[in-house]
Amino acid sequence: MTAPTDARRRGVRLDLPDSRRVSIRYDGRHLPAFEGEPLAAALYAAGVRIFNRSLKYHRPRGLFCNAGYCPNCLVRVDGTPHVRACTEPVRDRMEVESESGWPSARFDLLAVLDQLGFLFPTGFQYRYFTRPRWLYHRWEWLLRRLAGHGRLGVDPPSPAQRSSLTADVAVVGGGPAGMAAALAAARAGACVLLFEAESALGGGLRTEPRPVRAPALYDGLPGVELVARLATEIERHPAISCHRRALAFGYYADGRLGVAGPGTFLSVHAERIIVATGSYERPMVFDGCDRPGVFLASGVRRMLHLWRIRPGAAAVVVTTSDYGLAVALDLLNAGVTVRAVADTRDWTSREPDEARRLRQSGVTVLPGHAVLSVAGRRSIRAAILALTGPADRATAWKVPCDHLVVSGEFWPANELVFHAAYRGSHVLRAEAHPMRPQIEREGLRAVGPVHIAGNAAGVGDLVKALLEGTIAGLSAGIALRGATPGAAWELEDAVRALAAIHEASHGR
Amino acid sequence: MSGACAARWLPGGGSPLRRGYQCVIVGGGCHGLSLAYNLARRGMREIAVFEKAYLGSGASGRNTALIRSAFGTPEWIRLHQESIRLWERLSDELDYNVMFTQRGYLVLAYTDEKAEVCRRSVPVQNALGVQSSLLDPSEVRRLVPCLNVAGLRTAIYQPTGGIARHDAVVWGYARAAARLGVEIHPYTEVTGIRVQDGVVSSVLTSRGHVETALVVNAAGGHSADVARLAGVEIPVTTYPVEAFVTEPLEPLVEPAINSIHNMTYFSQTSRGEIVGGSDEPGTPPGYRITSTLDFLELAARRLVALVPRLARASFLRQWGGLVDITPDLGPLLGEVDEVKGFVLDCGWGGYGFMGTPAGAKLLADALIDRVRPPLLEPFAPRRFKEGRLLEEKSLIVVISKPAAGRAEPPGADRAGRGHLPSPG
Amino acid sequence: MGDRRIVCFCLDVTVEDLAEAVREGFDHPELLKRFTAVLMGPCQGKLCAPNVLRILAELTGQPEEALDVPTLRPPVRPIPIGLLAAGGEP
C-alpha cells in the first residue's frame, strides 16, 4: 500500500464520524469538524500540528498523550483558558484560540528563547536583578507578561449544578478493573456508584482490537466487544448508577470524594471506594523528545481506534514492551507505513508474536535498539535509532518518518490512594509511601476504606485487572452487606485465581 | 548576574554536630534562618539551626506570601513597617533574589463594620509613616478592573505592600547564614531540651546531643511541642490553614488582595498563578494538614464573588499548613521567665512570613545587646502575665475566635475541617 | 548548556537543570520540586514524576525506592473554580 508523504494532502481520517458536520473557528480560520468528536481530532484532521508553545522556551508542541494528562494540547475555548483539546468535545461554532506563542502557537516570534536557553538555567529568577530594585520591578513586569498565558473570557460560564450523592461503594474508573468491581460489588448486594472520566466506559480496552484473554465468559472476544458486553450489564443493573464524563478529583479526609463533570459538581460519600483509575504512560527522555510528531503509544492507539485518525503517513515505533509492537501493528492495519520498529529489549531467543507478524509484513524490526534523537523542529522528519547501551553514533541509523511513537513503561495512576493515605506530615518517608501502596492480598485494600484494582494497583494484564476488580468489589460488598454464600465462594475463587497468576509470574 | 553556580550552597544533611554551640535555633524556616543570619552578622559564632525535615518544609514553604504594614494598632504597624523597610533591601543584602515585588496591598471592606475599622486605622498608619490611603469603590475598580465592587464600602490601599517568593526567602537566608559560618542541619529533629537549675544546658537531637545555654524556639506550628521539651507551656494553639493555587493566567490582579470580612486573600505570582486562602472563624485547632473539600468549595465561592472572571479559571492544587496563634493574636518574641536561655520567636499566627526581616533582626539585636528594642517590647512573652495584651484583631484574619450563630450552607459537611487535638 | 533533553514538558526543565539543582544542594525531591518547578505545572507530575525520580536517584546515587516522593494533592486534574462555586452562598 503506497503512502504519499504529505499526510495532510492524503487526509488523515480513516473514516468519518457519524455525527453532524459543524464548523469551528481556530485562530480566526473556519475549520470543518464533527459534533462531539474530540477537538484535538478535528484540529489534527484539519492540519493543525503545533498546538502549543512551551512555557519557558516557546518550543513547538504537538499532540502527545491524547488522554488529558499532558500539557501539550491546551487551547482557549469559548473564553475558557487551558482546555485540553484531546478531551473536549466539539460543539458547533466553537471559538478556539491557541494560547501561547506570539502572535500564535503556529508562528511564534518568541521561539528565539529556545536558542537563549543558556540565559535561563533553572533558578535563574533568583540570581538575576538582586539589585537595583527598580530594575527588578521592570523585569518582573516583563516576566509576568511572558509567563501568564491563560486569558479569561469576560462572560460568565453557564451555571453549574452541585449535588450530594451517597452509596455503599464508589468505583472510580470504568475500565476493565472498574467495571468488574462495580458488577462484583453489586452482586454482593451493595449499592454502587461508578464514575468514569471519559465519555464511554472501557478504559484501555476501548483501544484494544485484538482478542483478549479473559476468565470465564468473555475469553476470545476483541477488547471492544468485551467492553460493550460489560457496559450493557452495568447500564442494566438496578444497583449501579453509572456517571460518565465524571472525574473524581480528590479523596478527602472526611471520607468524601469530589467529582466533577461538565456543568456538574458532585460531593460523594461512600462507605468504600475502589480506585481503578488505570495508569499513565511514561515518556522517553531523548533529544527532541518533546517535538511535534512524537507520540505516546497509548495516544496513538486512541487516535486510531477512538478518533479514527491516522497520525501521519510514515511512522517509526520505539518500544520497551509488547504494547508498542501491538501499536505498530495497529498502525500498519490503518495504512501507515511503518519504517522501523526499535525494541529496547534484546530478545534473541524468544521473538514476540507481534514482532514476527511485523517482520512478516515487511517491517524492519530492531531488537536491542533505542531512539537517540529526532530531526526536525516544528515537526519531526526522521528518528535516529541506535543500539542500546553506550550511545554509539557510528552505528546510528537515521530513519525518515513524520511521526515517532514511543512506548515506555506504564505506571499507576493512584493519586486518590495517596490522598487517602496522606496523614499530613511534612515529609512522607519512603517506607510508608502511598505511591507504592502496601496492598492487602485479600480485598486489595490500600488504606482505610480505599481498595485498589487493575493497573492503578500495579501495571499488569487484563486478566489481573478483571480479577482484582472482582476481588475488590466482592470484598467491599461483603464487608458492607454481609457474605452471601454465592459472593463468598466467588471471592475465594477469584483470590485463588489471582494467587495462581502471582505464583506463575514469580516462578518464571 | 548569570552563570551557573557549580558548588553546593544549600546546606544538606549529614554534617557532624559539634559538642556545643553558643546558640541553637529550633526550626529551619524563614524565622530560624533569618535569626541565625542576623546573629551571625552581629558577630555571634557557633550557631546551629536544627530542622527536622527539609529547609522551609513548614509554614515557610506553604504560606501565601502577602506582605503589608497596614494594620490597626501602632505595635503591629511599627513592627511590620520596619519589616517592609528591610524587605526592600533584602535581595541586595542576601545577594539572592527573594522576588519581593511591591505591587501594593488592598484591604477590602464589604461590611459597614469593617469599613469603619479601615477608616479609623488609616490615620494611625499614616502617622507612623505607612503610605496608605482610603479608596472608594470606583477607585478600587480602576486599580483592579476585574474586582466585583458591588457592596464594597471602602478599601485601604498600601502601595508599598506586596508579595515575595517564600521558598527563595528560606534559601536566601540559608545561604547567607551558611556563608557567615552558621551550621544548618536539616533532617535533624530536636527531641529534648535539658534544663538544669532553671537554665538551658543542652539539646538532644535525633543525631546526637549538643551543649548550649541559648535555645531559640522558631518551630512555628510545632512551637508548643518544642517549648514543652524545655518544660515550658507557652500560650499558643496550633491551627491548620489551607491554601489554593490556580493555573497560570495573564496578568489580572496587580496588588495583593484581602477581603477581611470573609477572610479571603490572594495575589497573582510572577508566573501568573493566583495563590491564596479563605479561612473560617471557629476553625478547630489541630495538627493535620490534609486537604478538605469544604475549603475548596468555600474558596471557590468567595473567589468568584470577588473576581467573577475567575469562574473560568481552574484550581491546580490545594494544600495545607500550620499556624501557631496566641490569645492576643500577636507573636511571642523574647525570653521566657521560667527558663533562662530559652527564647521564643513564634506565635506569629499567619503573619510570620511578612514579619520575618524585622522580627528576626530585632530579636538578634536584643540577644546580642541584651537590650530589648522598643519595637520588640510589646511582643514580650511575659505580656500575658502582666495583662498587657495587644489589641490587633479587626484588620487581620482571625480563625481562632469561635463564631456565633453562623448559618450552615445547604449540603455542607463540616466534618472535614481537621479535628485532631493532639500532635500527630 | 549541557544535557538539554526535556524532562518536564510543562516548564521546560531539562536533565541539565535537574543536575545543576542537585549540585547546588536541592537534592531532596521536595526541594528539587520547589527550585525547578517540576511536578508543579499543569500535569502535576503525571508525565514527568517517574523520570524525575529516576534521574534524581541516579544523580544522588540512591535507589529510587529510597526517595521520599513529593506530596500529591487534590485536585487530580485542574477543576474550574466556577464549578466548585456552584450552590451555596459565599
Side-chain angles (χ1 to χ4, degrees):
Chain A
M1 189 173 190
T2 55
T5 47
D6 187 348
R8 252 163 275 183
R9 235 183 301 133
R10 183 194 187 183
V12 294
R13 288 197 190 267
L14 289 163
D15 40 57
L16 301 177
D18 52 20
S19 57
R20 189 166 73 105
R21 279 176 199 264
V22 296
S23 174
I24 63 175
R25 231 160 53 118
Y26 175 67
D27 280 352
R29 292 151 51 202
H30 285 278
L31 298 177
F34 288 87
E35 191 171 50
E37 69 168 338
L39 175 59
L43 294 174
Y44 200 85
V48 177
R49 293 294 177 270
I50 298 177
F51 280 70
N52 216 327
R53 291 281 170 162
S54 66
L55 186 79
K56 195 162 145 193
Y57 298 135
H58 286 250
R59 294 166 70 91
R61 294 276 164 80
L63 296 182
F64 190 67
C65 79
N66 295 334
Y69 59 92
C70 80
N72 281 17
C73 71
L74 296 172
V75 288
R76 186 169 187 264
V77 174
D78 293 336
T80 300
H82 304 310
V83 174
R84 288 184 154 88
C86 61
T87 52
E88 184 72 11
V90 164
R91 292 181 296 277
D92 193 18
R93 286 195 286 256
M94 210 179 210
E95 186 73 42
V96 185
E97 297 151 279
S98 61
E99 286 196 304
S100 48
W102 186 74
S104 73
R106 190 158 148 232
F107 180 64
D108 182 10
L109 291 170
L110 291 169
V112 66
L113 288 170
D114 200 14
Q115 312 308 318
L116 300 173
F118 63 94
L119 282 178
F120 305 108
T122 199
F124 74 93
Q125 66 270 38
Y126 309 122
R127 283 198 276 273
Y128 294 175
F129 302 114
T130 52
R131 63 187 73 86
R133 223 162 26 92
W134 63 266
L135 194 58
Y136 166 68
H137 276 196
R138 299 286 176 282
W139 156 244
E140 204 250 357
W141 183 94
L142 182 65
L143 197 64
R144 290 184 75 192
R145 274 135 195 90
L146 284 175
H149 289 162
R151 230 166 16 98
L152 297 167
V154 183
D155 302 326
S158 14
Q161 281 265 58
R162 184 196 191 277
S163 319
S164 292
L165 297 177
T166 50
D168 291 332
V169 179
V171 179
V172 181
M179 291 194 288
L183 289 166
R187 279 200 296 282
C191 158
V192 182
L193 285 165
L194 173 60
F195 298 111
E196 165 52 53
E198 303 217 27
S199 52
L201 296 174
L205 280 185
R206 293 172 71 205
T207 58
E208 183 52 84
R210 300 171 298 165
V212 290
R213 253 193 68 232
L217 311 158
Y218 304 116
D219 205 24
L221 285 178
V224 287
E225 265 202 55
L226 173 58
V227 169
R229 300 255 183 122
L230 290 172
T232 312
E233 265 192 68
I234 285 171
E235 300 294 350
R236 290 199 184 134
H237 206 298
I240 303 177
S241 175
C242 179
H243 297 253
R244 279 181 227 78
R245 296 197 73 204
L247 173 84
F249 59 82
Y251 179 76
Y252 292 91
D254 59 354
R256 277 194 295 162
L257 210 55
V259 179
T264 330
F265 164 41
L266 303 171
S267 167
V268 177
H269 191 272
E271 299 297 321
R272 292 290 172 111
I273 314 280
I274 299 177
V275 174
T277 42
S279 53
Y280 302 122
E281 195 171 10
R282 174 176 171 166
M284 288 183 187
V285 180
F286 54 88
D287 249 305
C289 59
D290 65 323
R291 294 294 181 202
V294 180
F295 289 91
L296 288 176
S298 54
V300 165
R301 271 207 142 166
R302 292 173 66 87
M303 284 180 93
L304 291 173
H305 299 295
L306 301 182
W307 302 1
R308 302 298 293 148
I309 279 183
R310 242 183 310 257
V316 168
V317 178
V318 185
T319 185
T320 58
S321 70
D322 289 351
Y323 187 82
L325 300 175
V327 177
L329 283 168
D330 289 351
L331 285 165
L332 259 188
N333 289 334
V336 173
T337 306
V338 179
R339 292 266 164 81
V341 174
D343 193 327
T344 58
R345 301 169 297 175
D346 209 347
W347 27 259
T348 42
S349 48
R350 244 194 74 255
E351 186 186 38
D353 283 338
E354 292 88 349
R356 188 177 36 82
R357 284 165 58 195
L358 285 164
R359 260 195 317 103
Q360 285 166 353
S361 307
V363 176
T364 309
V365 180
L366 303 161
H369 278 68
V371 58
L372 263 187
S373 61
V374 288
R377 210 175 55 82
R378 292 169 63 86
S379 61
I380 65 169
R381 293 189 313 269
I384 290 94
L385 305 174
L387 287 164
T388 55
D392 187 352
R393 293 195 185 259
T395 63
W397 181 32
K398 189 167 177 177
V399 187
C401 61
D402 62 14
H403 60 287
L404 172 68
V405 182
V406 296
S407 181
E409 297 158 21
F410 285 85
W411 61 285
N414 59 5
E415 293 97 325
L416 292 173
V417 173
F418 194 114
H419 299 170
Y422 183 55
R423 286 281 161 261
S425 75
H426 290 303
V427 175
L428 211 56
R429 295 260 68 106
E431 316 81 60
H433 214 284
M435 274 182 88
R436 297 181 274 268
Q438 298 309 306
I439 302 171
E440 290 172 23
R441 193 52 82 79
E442 262 96 298
L444 288 156
R445 256 194 320 145
V447 60
V450 179
H451 301 249
I452 190 167
N455 278 358
V459 177
D461 64 9
L462 174 65
V463 177
K464 167 189 172 290
L466 290 170
L467 282 174
E468 285 182 348
T470 303
I471 291 170
L474 287 170
S475 306
I478 288 170
L480 296 172
R481 296 287 172 166
T484 66
W489 173 85
E490 197 193 336
L491 176 59
E492 214 182 285
D493 213 42
V495 169
R496 237 181 290 126
L498 188 65
I501 292 176
H502 280 236
E503 271 173 44
S505 63
H506 287 141
R508 205 174 291 144
Chain B
M1 195 167 79
S2 68
C5 314
R8 167 186 269 277
W9 58 264
L10 189 77
S15 52
L17 302 178
R18 283 185 205 245
R19 253 197 54 184
Y21 294 92
Q22 258 206 61
C23 176
V24 165
I25 298 173
V26 185
C30 50
H31 276 269
L33 293 166
S34 177
L35 181 64
Y37 161 72
N38 279 288
L39 285 169
R41 200 178 46 82
R42 289 290 318 268
M44 191 185 273
R45 294 287 160 256
E46 295 176 11
I47 305 167
V49 177
F50 292 131
E51 164 52 53
K52 72 170 190 226
Y54 58 91
L55 296 179
S57 54
S60 298
R62 296 163 192 274
N63 69 82
T64 52
L66 307 189
I67 298 168
R68 60 158 154 151
S69 57
F71 292 105
T73 58
E75 297 85 1
W76 273 60
I77 293 170
R78 285 197 184 98
L79 183 67
H80 288 287
Q81 182 67 355
E82 174 65 8
S83 240
I84 288 192
R85 197 182 65 80
L86 295 168
W87 273 113
E88 288 173 347
R89 295 176 10 211
L90 197 60
S91 297
D92 190 348
E93 188 181 339
L94 300 179
D95 194 26
Y96 200 75
N97 196 342
V98 303
M99 302 183 78
F100 171 58
T101 312
Q102 275 174 315
R103 282 210 235 119
Y105 195 109
L106 199 58
V107 177
L108 301 172
Y110 282 90
T111 63
D112 292 327
E113 185 211 329
K114 291 302 182 186
E116 190 46 40
V117 169
C118 290
R119 284 184 202 111
R120 273 190 281 114
S121 65
V122 168
V124 182
Q125 294 159 10
N126 296 153
L128 293 169
V130 178
Q131 278 179 47
S132 58
S133 53
L134 281 173
L135 300 185
D136 65 40
S138 61
E139 291 169 313
V140 172
R141 196 78 204 276
R142 262 199 299 279
L143 193 62
V144 189
C146 62
L147 195 71
N148 176 18
V149 297
L152 182 69
R153 313 295 200 256
T154 188
I156 302 177
Y157 178 56
Q158 180 186 358
T160 48
I163 59 175
R165 173 101 174 96
H166 53 23
D167 291 321
V169 175
V170 170
W171 302 331
Y173 273 123
R175 188 170 89 151
R179 276 184 179 168
L180 291 173
V182 172
E183 278 186 28
I184 298 172
H185 296 275
Y187 319 112
T188 308
E189 183 172 357
V190 168
T191 53
I193 299 175
R194 197 167 291 141
V195 174
Q196 270 178 328
D197 301 320
V199 182
V200 168
S201 68
S202 63
V203 170
L204 280 81
T205 78
S206 53
R207 291 178 51 226
H209 100 285
V210 301
E211 282 161 22
T212 186
L214 179 60
V215 172
V216 182
N217 181 356
H222 296 277
S223 60
D225 304 324
V226 169
R228 264 179 227 122
L229 293 177
V232 179
E233 283 296 320
I234 58 174
V236 293
T237 311
T238 294
Y239 292 82
V241 178
E242 297 191 62
F244 64 81
V245 67
T246 68
E247 291 185 301
L249 302 167
E250 58 168 355
L252 198 69
V253 175
E254 272 301 301
I257 292 189
N258 189 336
S259 169
I260 40 170
H261 83 286
N262 64 4
M263 305 202 286
T264 305
Y265 45 91
F266 57 92
S267 68
Q268 190 167 23
T269 69
S270 328
R271 208 156 56 206
E273 303 146 330
I274 306 269
V275 64
S278 187
D279 299 333
E280 287 276 76
T283 302
Y287 283 79
R288 281 182 82 180
I289 55 173
T290 46
S291 299
T292 67
L293 188 53
D294 277 349
F295 167 74
L296 213 57
E297 289 193 67
L298 189 68
R301 289 202 286 270
R302 288 174 173 169
L303 267 185
V304 169
L306 283 167
V307 183
R309 277 171 78 173
L310 285 178
R312 288 187 186 272
S314 290
F315 281 137
L316 187 58
R317 191 178 163 99
Q318 60 177 127
W319 65 93
L322 297 172
V323 292
D324 51 336
I325 305 184
T326 61
D328 69 358
L329 311 172
L332 298 170
L333 292 166
E335 280 212 344
V336 301
D337 289 331
E338 300 93 311
V339 173
K340 192 161 153 48
F342 191 62
V343 175
L344 304 178
D345 177 357
C346 59
W348 288 88
Y351 290 86
F353 180 72
M354 66 175 80
T356 301
K361 176 178 179 298
L362 293 168
L363 187 62
D365 289 344
L367 291 173
I368 302 267
D369 300 331
R370 299 184 194 277
V371 169
R372 290 187 62 84
L375 256 58
L376 218 57
E377 188 50 42
F379 304 101
R382 66 176 65 89
R383 69 182 186 269
F384 290 98
K385 289 202 202 79
E386 295 172 1
R388 290 184 292 114
L389 269 53
L390 297 160
E391 305 252 300
E392 184 70 57
K393 46 179 168 282
S394 316
L395 276 179
I396 58 176
V397 170
V398 182
I399 65 177
S400 50
K401 199 171 64 173
R406 190 176 77 94
E408 295 290 320
D413 177 356
R414 293 219 63 231
R417 290 291 285 172
H419 53 273
L420 271 183
S422 53
Chain C
M1 260 202 292
D3 189 341
R4 287 203 80 215
R5 294 179 292 163
I6 302 272
V7 180
C8 161
F9 282 33
C10 294
L11 289 131
D12 278 345
V13 180
T14 62
V15 176
E16 179 57 29
D17 287 335
L18 296 178
E20 178 62 27
V22 171
R23 272 196 294 272
E24 294 190 33
F26 296 89
D27 51 5
H28 184 276
E30 278 287 342
L31 289 172
L32 186 64
K33 181 184 104 179
R34 287 154 184 277
F35 187 69
T36 63
V38 288
L39 276 69
M40 289 173 69
C43 89
Q44 293 285 291
K46 294 176 188 56
L47 216 57
C48 62
N51 287 334
V52 167
L53 293 174
R54 178 178 51 91
I55 292 170
L56 178 61
E58 277 168 21
L59 288 169
T60 54
Q62 303 172 64
E64 232 181 288
E65 302 73 49
L67 289 176
D68 295 334
V69 174
T71 320
L72 297 173
R73 294 274 199 172
V76 171
R77 288 198 196 173
I79 303 292
I81 297 172
L83 198 73
L84 290 163
E89 291 304 302

